[in-house]
Amino acid sequence: MAAVTIDSLLQNPTLLFRPKAKVLLKPPRSLDCSRNRKLPLSRGSCLCSFNPRRTIHVVRASSSETALIGNFDISSSDDILYKDIFPVKRIEKVEGKFFIRLDRSKDQHDWQFTVGCSLPGKWILHWGVSYLGDSGSEWDQPPKGMRPPGSIPIKDYAIETPLKKLSEGDIFHEVKIDFNPISEIAAIHFVLKDEETGAWYQHRGMDFKVPLVDYLEDDGNIVGAKRGFGVWSGALQQFSNVLLKSEASHADSQNNSIESKDSKNKNRCLEGFYEEQSIVKEVSVGNLVSVAVRKSPETGKVVVCLETDIPGDVVVHWGVCRDDAKIWKIPAAPYPPETTVFKNKALRTLLQPKATGNRSGALFTLDEEHFGFLFVLKLDDNTWLKFKENDFYVPLLGTSSVPGQYGQSDSTSEEISSKSYTDGIINEIRNLVSGLSSEKSLKTKKKEVQESILQEIEQLAAEAYSIFRSSITTVPDEVVSETETTKPAVKISSGTGTGFEILCQGFNWESHKSRRWYMELKEKASEISSLGFTVIWLPPPTESVSPEGYMPKDLYNLNSRYGTIDELKELVKSLHEVGMKVLGDVVLNHRCAHFKNQNGVWNIFGGRLNWDDRAVVADDPHFQGRGNKSSGDNFHAAPNIDHSQEFVRKDLKEWLGWLREEIGYDGWRLDFVRGFWGGYVKDYLEASGPYFAVGEYWDSLSYTYGEMDHNQDSHRQRIVDWINATNGTAGAFDVTTKGILHSVYCTWLLLVLALGRLSLQLFLIIYFLK
């Protein structure tokens, strides 16, 4: 992926500043330096370029089928059997400059802090201040007089100010912040945010800190605070740091109030500085992939021409398929130049640049027997391009079956004609149904017209079914019955129900306090069912160290703070009588021990499942287990169970089966599934055969500087990955959406409270004015 480096924008800076040690601005992804191209920049020149260095190679013809790409013109349609253009999008890194400057303002009284960026985009300065005497790294909002126009407060600790071009001819987007040097502000803190991509640009993983006093401790993120001269090189790009002597090392005393400031403030020594460094941004770039197919009149083979305007080295990862299943196969030679075999599953060809234009391509010669041509594009080890999340597919068999071309058979014509006819029937049905079901039609059409449309739909459907029946091969009944008797019945238990369940959480964190919750819930069974709930989730039933039930001890002891085992059976029976399914809350990740080992650590279990410390994972130092390492995240309040042990899985499967038979549970709510691999869950669910199962994959949302990120795809993906690990045998709570809605609700509540406070203040003002 091409990346462009821009040289220093200032040739002869004359600013006063103090030097600073090397500053590294880390982009979200590492920069691929192997493809950098440095371009000198003069004033007024373009800041970005997407044209990488390329070496022109001539593709030599190895046979009549592998001629120069120039001999096969995609734009010509004389002998083209198939042609298509695929739009693709890729991410390209663009590099520009980012600067920080501190100098006197025009009136020579105040000072001015400036941040600028040369790359186009919607840049935001997320910033705040710290005051004299503050400890720690917390920010505060700056005084209102210090905030530039367009600034927006973020909660109570920061300000966001957009960077703008001051005039049309300016290179940089920048923001200027004026402040009085004789103030209580000790430092300015900031990070740079790209609103287009959501990326945050920090200094060594921390915020930038610009000190306005001389005694602040350097935590590794200070900018412009150390004396001396020099130039440093960073991991991203060398940046310049120019230092000149200060015009005034101390601010003149203005009046007696200034002299009475804190002694630290008296010794404040501001010096101007300028620091500049590289900044890398990822942008989406659109390109095209052109494909054309023709048949060679000399050999009768099919020739595929592939071209693209993607710059740099582009590798085509390709193969062929022999039927509609689109299973990749390696075709017979010849292959284009620069082709290698990949794991005996596919071929890889480096596209060769064309002699004219910024394009590259290759010719692929294939036998007529192949059904289709499959490929994806590889730009580097981490970048693959597909078409709408699927492999690129080019039909080959159909290219030789176009009417009037290369002796198309009658059977093929009939197949195409039949498909077109049935497609037409389907479209007619859709149009009729759309017209019938539309709200406008229902209001305006008479009953006779609607009945006529329904009759026409029935006729079309019967006709389509007749065509379908005539196109499939019939099998005698005796053959079918013989086949069915030889196949064993397969039991499928997905644990995901019908998809129309409405789940009720049948308890809360305080329910155990009554000690008769089962009986209280039994009395409400009919009422809960009448509200439309079809499934109810009951609390953890086992003996537990914690009253809520989530620190289980003896799994076969079902006398808990919620009630006895007999009361639980009565409750489940009552819920079944009103048509509801019942979920048991099972804690499989951890279990509290009954006894200590020889080292005084609680990791020996009692009861019916009297496991020893082999049942505890080895990588939790709190409980000194002798099992294997955990397959998930450890829950440090209790011994984490090692599900890789065969005896553990056997015992848990027996326990779940016992709960199904003894209590009558229909399914499970699975607690803390982050703690162990989803494949073990699949094993447990297949053994217990639940009607419905849902996992609690509770994880923290993504936050940056105390704000919830807009993009929470990675959080939701972790939940989806767990579901996939269970092989789809269980669902999971949508914790992502829950967290987002919770944040929205809290924001709304704060707004309501603020408006209420404002209304009260207005009321009091009006009252006293009267």
Side-chain angles (χ1 to χ4, degrees):
M1 196 174 292
V4 182
T5 302
I6 314 299
D7 286 345
S8 176
L9 298 175
L10 294 182
Q11 307 298 325
N12 298 301
T14 58
L15 295 174
L16 302 176
F17 67 100
R18 294 181 294 186
K20 168 72 183 76
K22 176 171 61 178
V23 176
L24 300 179
L25 186 67
K26 296 184 178 180
R29 296 175 59 185
S30 59
L31 178 61
D32 183 2
C33 300
S34 61
R35 293 185 156 202
N36 283 1
R37 180 184 179 188
K38 295 186 177 181
L39 300 175
L41 179 69
S42 60
R43 296 184 182 277
S45 61
C46 180
L47 289 176
C48 306
S49 173
F50 294 91
N51 298 322
R53 181 192 298 122
R54 301 190 55 171
T55 305
I56 302 298
H57 302 279
V58 177
V59 184
R60 301 290 182 185
S62 58
S63 66
S64 60
E65 288 84 14
T66 56
L68 289 175
I69 295 176
N71 295 337
F72 189 172
D73 185 5
I74 284 184
S75 62
S76 174
S77 59
D78 295 340
D79 59 350
I80 300 296
L81 305 179
Y82 172 90
K83 182 169 67 173
D84 204 351
I85 298 177
F86 301 92
V88 294
K89 286 190 177 293
R90 60 189 176 85
I91 301 299
E92 190 167 81
K93 293 180 180 178
V94 187
E95 190 168 340
K97 288 296 174 183
F98 163 78
F99 78 82
I100 309 164
R101 182 173 62 225
L102 180 67
D103 59 357
R104 288 185 178 275
S105 59
K106 293 180 180 180
D107 60 8
Q108 295 297 308
H109 175 69
D110 289 339
W111 281 69
Q112 191 172 74
F113 172 67
T114 308
V115 177
C117 181
S118 66
L119 289 177
K122 192 175 181 181
W123 296 98
I124 300 293
L125 188 72
H126 184 91
W127 65 288
V129 299
S130 57
Y131 290 93
L132 298 173
D134 285 353
S135 60
S137 58
E138 298 296 324
W139 297 8
D140 286 308
Q141 287 185 347
K144 292 185 178 180
M146 189 176 172
R147 305 174 190 180
S151 297
I152 299 174
I154 303 299
K155 296 185 178 178
D156 60 348
Y157 65 89
I159 296 291
E160 286 194 348
T161 305
L163 277 66
K164 299 179 180 179
K165 285 189 176 182
L166 301 183
S167 63
E168 289 295 329
D170 285 348
I171 294 175
F172 284 97
H173 297 75
E174 59 183 53
V175 59
K176 298 178 183 292
I177 299 173
D178 294 315
F179 65 93
N180 189 331
I182 311 301
S183 69
E184 296 295 323
I185 298 175
I188 299 175
H189 307 257
F190 73 93
V191 291
L192 195 62
K193 178 183 178 182
D194 180 7
E195 286 236 315
E196 291 182 348
T197 63
W200 295 82
Y201 294 86
Q202 302 171 291
H203 177 33
R204 301 173 182 172
M206 298 181 287
D207 55 281
F208 289 85
K209 180 160 70 171
V210 180
L212 305 182
V213 293
D214 294 335
Y215 54 86
L216 287 185
E217 182 181 353
D218 188 355
D219 297 324
N221 61 339
I222 283 184
V223 184
K226 294 182 179 179
R227 299 183 182 277
F229 293 83
V231 177
W232 302 269
S233 59
L236 303 179
Q237 169 69 23
Q238 177 174 313
F239 68 91
S240 58
N241 191 359
V242 186
L243 175 62
L244 295 175
K245 186 177 180 181
S246 173
E247 290 180 351
S249 58
H250 296 278
D252 294 332
S253 296
Q254 300 295 321
N255 48 48
N256 293 332
S257 63
I258 295 177
E259 293 177 357
S260 64
K261 289 284 184 181
D262 187 273
S263 60
K264 293 180 178 179
N265 207 1
K266 289 180 180 180
N267 296 325
R268 183 192 300 261
C269 180
L270 281 181
E271 294 178 358
F273 70 88
Y274 178 91
E275 288 192 6
E276 179 184 300
Q277 55 196 279
S278 297
I279 183 170
V280 178
K281 178 180 179 179
E282 295 183 342
V283 296
S284 178
V285 180
N287 292 99
L288 299 175
V289 178
S290 304
V291 180
V293 181
R294 71 176 176 88
K295 189 170 184 179
S296 172
E298 295 85 5
T299 63
K301 292 190 175 184
V302 175
V303 182
V304 179
C305 178
L306 188 151
E307 290 184 2
T308 182
D309 60 351
I310 299 174
D313 293 337
V314 180
V315 174
V316 182
H317 185 90
W318 64 282
V320 296
C321 60
R322 304 186 187 280
D323 51 40
D324 234 349
K326 298 180 182 178
I327 299 174
W328 285 55
K329 301 288 183 183
I330 295 180
Y335 304 138
E338 302 286 343
T339 297
T340 58
V341 179
F342 178 75
K343 296 183 178 180
N344 292 323
K345 294 182 179 180
L347 297 168
R348 287 183 174 178
T349 299
L350 176 64
L351 297 185
Q352 304 298 314
K354 296 192 70 173
T356 58
N358 187 27
R359 300 177 67 84
S360 58
L363 292 178
F364 305 86
T365 303
L366 307 168
D367 294 330
E368 285 187 283
E369 63 185 23
H370 300 305
F371 189 84
F373 179 77
L374 300 161
F375 70 95
V376 291
L377 301 179
K378 182 176 182 287
L379 304 188
D380 55 46
D381 290 339
N382 300 315
T383 307
W384 295 78
L385 295 184
K386 294 185 175 184
F387 181 65
K388 296 181 179 179
E389 303 301 324
N390 295 310
D391 299 338
F392 291 89
Y393 173 72
V394 178
L396 299 179
L397 189 61
T399 57
S400 59
S401 303
V402 179
Q405 299 273 349
Y406 306 108
Q408 177 188 359
S409 64
D410 293 339
S411 61
T412 307
S413 299
E414 292 174 2
E415 183 179 345
I416 294 175
S417 176
S418 175
K419 186 178 185 304
S420 301
Y421 183 56
T422 53
D423 287 345
I425 292 176
I426 292 171
N427 288 331
E428 286 187 47
I429 293 175
R430 285 174 177 166
N431 292 335
L432 288 169
V433 172
S434 299
L436 182 63
S437 61
S438 66
E439 185 178 352
K440 184 176 180 181
S441 298
L442 289 173
K443 291 181 178 179
T444 57
K445 289 182 178 178
K446 295 182 179 179
K447 184 176 180 181
E448 294 81 4
V449 178
Q450 294 178 12
E451 290 178 352
S452 174
I453 293 175
L454 289 172
Q455 291 175 1
E456 192 171 350
I457 290 174
E458 290 176 358
Q459 292 175 0
L460 290 170
E463 193 172 350
Y465 179 73
S466 175
I467 294 172
F468 166 75
R469 289 289 299 171
S470 62
S471 65
I472 62 174
T473 305
T474 58
V475 182
D477 292 339
E478 57 270 17
V479 177
V480 175
S481 60
E482 182 179 350
T483 305
E484 289 177 349
T485 55
T486 58
K487 289 185 178 180
V490 179
K491 182 181 178 182
I492 299 176
S493 177
S494 69
T496 55
T498 64
F500 295 94
E501 284 76 14
I502 301 177
L503 175 63
C504 171
Q505 181 175 345
F507 65 103
N508 60 40
W509 207 244
E510 309 291 328
S511 299
H512 64 88
K513 293 183 178 180
S514 70
R515 291 186 175 267
R516 57 179 307 275
W517 181 250
Y518 291 152
M519 292 296 96
E520 291 180 17
L521 200 58
K522 177 185 174 183
E523 297 169 1
K524 297 179 172 60
S526 297
E527 181 183 354
I528 294 172
S529 176
S530 67
L531 296 175
F533 292 106
T534 60
V535 181
I536 187 168
W537 156 25
L538 297 185
T542 59
E543 175 196 13
S544 171
V545 172
S546 66
E548 296 83 13
Y550 289 102
M551 299 281 280
K553 193 173 181 181
D554 184 354
L555 299 186
Y556 279 91
N557 182 356
L558 302 190
N559 295 313
S560 69
R561 303 290 181 90
Y562 298 99
T564 65
I565 183 173
D566 293 330
E567 291 172 344
L568 175 59
K569 291 179 181 179
E570 288 183 39
L571 170 61
V572 172
K573 181 181 178 181
S574 299
L575 292 168
H576 284 162
E577 289 173 353
V578 295
M580 297 186 70
K581 301 289 184 181
V582 182
L583 302 187
D585 198 333
V586 290
V587 183
L588 303 178
N589 175 76
H590 51 272
R591 182 185 171 195
C592 292
H594 292 70
F595 312 103
K596 297 180 182 180
N597 68 358
Q598 64 274 17
N599 299 325
V601 177
W602 293 90
N603 60 12
I604 307 299
F605 303 93
R608 184 167 164 180
L609 303 182
N610 54 347
W611 301 331
D612 59 17
D613 53 2
R614 292 175 300 154
V616 180
V617 297
D619 52 349
D620 185 352
H622 298 86
F623 298 102
Q624 299 179 6
R626 291 193 296 122
N628 297 311
K629 289 186 177 181
S630 175
S631 57
D633 296 335
N634 280 329
F635 178 77
H636 296 296
N640 287 250
I641 301 305
D642 179 13
H643 294 267
S644 69
Q645 302 286 2
E646 181 64 32
F647 72 89
V648 169
R649 295 200 304 277
K650 176 178 177 296
D651 286 348
L652 289 179
K653 285 187 282 189
E654 287 181 0
W655 177 63
L656 292 172
W658 176 78
L659 288 176
R660 289 270 280 143
E661 293 180 10
E662 185 72 16
I663 306 302
Y665 285 127
D666 301 292
W668 316 115
R669 182 267 185 186
L670 303 161
D671 182 66
F672 199 79
V673 295
R674 275 174 48 204
F676 55 103
W677 178 47
Y680 298 133
V681 174
K682 172 180 177 291
D683 198 14
Y684 298 141
L685 296 187
E686 288 178 345
S688 59
Y691 165 80
F692 189 84
V694 57
E696 179 223 27
Y697 196 99
W698 190 284
D699 198 4
S700 297
L701 295 176
S702 300
Y703 288 84
T704 305
Y705 294 101
E707 289 185 79
M708 188 182 72
D709 294 342
H710 292 290
N711 187 341
Q712 297 291 340
D713 289 349
S714 61
H715 183 274
R716 182 172 279 110
Q717 187 61 49
R718 290 194 290 273
I719 300 175
V720 173
D721 290 343
W722 178 82
I723 295 174
N724 291 337
T726 71
N727 201 28
T729 55
F733 290 114
D734 189 356
V735 180
T736 312
T737 301
K738 182 266 180 192
I740 294 171
L741 292 176
H742 180 79
S743 177
V744 171
Y745 170 76
C746 290
T747 304
W748 174 82
L749 184 60
L750 289 173
L751 179 61
V752 170
L753 292 174
L755 290 174
R757 182 179 178 183
L758 178 61
S759 300
L760 178 61
Q761 291 174 341
L762 289 175
F763 170 78
L764 292 174
I765 291 171
I766 295 172
Y767 176 80
F768 284 112
L769 286 176
K770 289 182 177 180

